[in-house]
Amino acid sequence: MSADRGFRMTPQRSVILDEVKGSGRHMTAGEIYERVRKRNPSMAYGTVYRTLHLFAERGLIQEFPFGDQASRFDGRIDRHDHVHCHECGSLHDVDVPSAIIARQVAEEQTGFVIDGHQTVFQGICPECQAKQKVTNRHDKQ
Amino acid sequence: MSADRGFRMTPQRSVILDEVKGSGRHMTAGEIYERVRKRNPSMAYGTVYRTLHLFAERGLIQEFPFGDQASRFDGRIDRHDHVHCHECGSLHDVDVPSAIIARQVAEEQTGFVIDGHQTVFQGICPECQAKQKVTNRHDKQ
DNA sequence: TTCCCTGCAAACCCTTTGCATTCAC
DNA sequence: GTGAATGCAAAGGGTTTGCAGGGAA
C-alpha cells in the first residue's frame, strides 16, 4: 500500500529525498549531489537530476527554477514566496498571504487558468547590510 | 548631453535597443539575435548578450531571468508581473497592484531591504484552454 | 592616439540523454 | 524474471569570455 507510489523507492532515491527534506535550505542540484555522494559515493549526477524531477512531479518536493542560476530544490511543499539577496545569493522563505489574491487579478486580466505562482523579492539580506556598513566605514564612498 | 550616457551608442546597440523596445513581446536573447541579424548580418552573439546586459544594468530594458529556460528581455521598464503558460510557454504582462504591499510583508519577515520583486503566475493561456477542449472531445479522457 | 566596442570562437555551467548494466518488485 | 532505475559519459542549450582587430572621441 505505502509501496504503491507508482515508482520504485531505491536506496538512491531514499537518500536524495532524505537530504532535500532534511536540510531546511534551498539547495541546487549540485549541492544535493555533493551531499548525497557522501552517503553513496557511486551516485551519478544524472540520477540526482532524474530523481529530483521525479519527486517534483509527484509533489514530494518543489523545484524552484531560480533566475539565471541553478534551480533550487525545496523540501517544503506548500506554496510560498522567496527573498533573494543579490549580494550573497542567499534565498529565504517568506509567507505573503496577500499574494494569493493577486492570482484572481491575474486571471481576470489575462483569461489564464492559473494554478500556481512564485514571487521572488530581491534585496539585501541583513548580513550583507551589516557588511556594507563596515565597508563604507573603510573606503568612504 | 544626451550623448553622456556613460557608454557609446554604436550602430549595433541602436539596433538592439530598437528591437527590444519595438516588439511588445518578451524575447529571448536568441530571438533578439535573429531579428537583429536581419538588419545587421555581421552582429555577433556575444555582442547581443553584452549589450542586453549593459542596457539592463542601466535600466533601459529589463532582463527577466525566466525559470529553467532562456532569459526574456522586456522593453517595458516599470515593475510588473507575468503570467506564464506551461503548455505553450507564452509569457504575458499583468499588473497586480496588491503585489506591492507584499514587499513590506517580506521586509518585515526577513529584515531584507527589498528593492525589487517579480512574480510569475503559472497556468494555461486561453488559446491552450481552447485546444485542450478540442483534444478532450477527440480522445475522451 | 587611446580606449571602448566588436566579431569570432572557444569555454563554461547547468542540465539532459543514450545505452548497457543492475536491481527492486 | 522483467521492466524500471542506475552509472557512465557524451551531448545539449544558454551564456560568458579572451583576444585581436576596428572605430569613435
Side-chain angles (χ1 to χ4, degrees):
Chain A
M1 188 174 200
S2 69
D4 184 20
R5 36 174 111 68
F7 61 88
R8 294 184 186 164
M9 188 49 78
T10 63
Q12 289 88 339
R13 290 178 175 178
S14 294
V15 172
I16 292 170
L17 186 56
D18 193 51
E19 285 293 338
V20 177
K21 289 287 188 189
S23 100
R25 300 183 47 251
H26 301 80
M27 292 187 289
T28 63
E31 287 169 338
I32 294 165
Y33 172 72
E34 289 192 3
R35 291 178 65 142
V36 141
R37 274 236 146 192
K38 289 180 184 163
R39 293 168 60 177
N40 182 342
S42 66
M43 179 106 52
Y45 229 123
T47 301
V48 172
Y49 272 104
R50 276 185 289 234
T51 301
L52 289 170
H53 289 157
L54 174 75
F55 289 163
E57 270 172 31
R58 304 305 174 95
L60 277 69
I61 63 174
Q62 276 194 91
E63 175 170 4
F64 183 37
F66 172 49
D68 49 348
Q69 297 167 30
S71 281
R72 308 291 188 104
F73 294 86
D74 198 339
R76 239 185 104 169
I77 57 177
D78 60 315
R79 215 211 61 70
H80 59 282
D81 303 295
H82 294 103
V83 276
H84 173 225
C85 179
H86 49 55
E87 289 292 318
C88 67
S90 66
L91 190 66
H92 307 265
D93 293 337
V94 275
D95 297 288
V96 184
S98 68
I100 304 300
I101 68 163
R103 290 166 68 146
Q104 288 180 34
V105 179
E107 287 197 328
E108 284 162 16
Q109 275 187 35
T110 60
F112 270 57
V113 173
I114 293 177
D115 52 27
H117 84 267
Q118 191 75 256
T119 303
V120 183
F121 298 88
Q122 279 114 225
I124 313 286
C125 71
E127 289 74 36
C128 290
Q129 288 171 42
K131 274 181 212 149
Q132 289 186 340
K133 279 177 195 149
V134 173
T135 305
N136 290 339
R137 202 172 299 146
H138 284 274
D139 43 79
K140 278 276 183 191
Q141 212 52 307
Chain B
M1 190 177 201
S2 69
D4 184 20
R5 32 174 116 66
F7 60 89
R8 294 180 185 164
M9 186 50 79
T10 64
Q12 289 90 337
R13 290 177 174 180
S14 293
V15 172
I16 292 170
L17 186 58
D18 192 52
E19 285 294 338
V20 177
K21 288 287 187 187
S23 99
R25 299 182 49 249
H26 301 78
M27 294 187 288
T28 63
E31 288 169 337
I32 294 165
Y33 172 72
E34 290 192 3
R35 291 178 66 144
V36 141
R37 273 237 146 192
K38 289 178 185 163
R39 293 168 61 180
N40 183 341
S42 67
M43 179 106 53
Y45 229 123
T47 301
V48 172
Y49 272 103
R50 275 187 287 234
T51 301
L52 289 170
H53 289 159
L54 174 75
F55 287 164
E57 268 173 32
R58 304 306 175 96
L60 277 68
I61 64 174
Q62 274 194 94
E63 175 169 7
F64 183 36
F66 172 46
D68 49 348
Q69 298 166 31
S71 282
R72 309 290 189 105
F73 293 87
D74 199 338
R76 239 184 105 170
I77 56 176
D78 59 315
R79 216 213 60 74
H80 60 283
D81 303 296
H82 294 103
V83 276
H84 173 226
C85 178
H86 49 55
E87 289 290 320
C88 67
S90 67
L91 190 65
H92 307 265
D93 292 335
V94 274
D95 296 289
V96 184
S98 69
I100 304 300
I101 68 162
R103 291 167 66 147
Q104 288 181 34
V105 178
E107 287 197 329
E108 284 161 16
Q109 276 186 34
T110 61
F112 270 57
V113 173
I114 293 177
D115 52 29
H117 84 267
Q118 192 74 257
T119 303
V120 183
F121 299 88
Q122 278 113 226
I124 314 285
C125 69
E127 291 73 37
C128 290
Q129 289 172 42
K131 275 182 211 147
Q132 289 186 340
K133 279 179 193 150
V134 174
T135 306
N136 290 339
R137 202 171 298 143
H138 286 271
D139 43 75
K140 279 275 182 191
Q141 214 53 312

